[in-house]
Amino acid sequence: KAQYDGNENIEAALAKAQESLGETGRILVRPSGTEPLIRVMVEGEEQDYIQKIAEEVAHVIKCELS
């Protein structure tokens, strides 16, 4: 879980995602406190768009930590 912190590719994906959301949304990535996984939470105005962003970020995290 802790391997994601400081990973340049993950940080770049998060920055790109936050930039695309602009001021109308936000993204939060954190390790679960009870399970061996990383939670990706995205808020925004359009459900389809935030789902896409969440999936893209989760994919980067999964690829980087595999």
Side-chain angles (χ1 to χ4, degrees), residues 7-35:
N7 182 297
E8 291 180 15
N9 291 331
I10 294 173
E11 288 180 2
L14 290 172
K16 180 180 173 186
Q18 185 59 61
E19 183 178 329
S20 70
L21 288 170
E23 303 223 358
T24 62
R26 68 181 181 148
I27 186 165
L28 175 66
V29 176
R30 67 172 186 83
S32 170
T34 59
E35 299 175 276

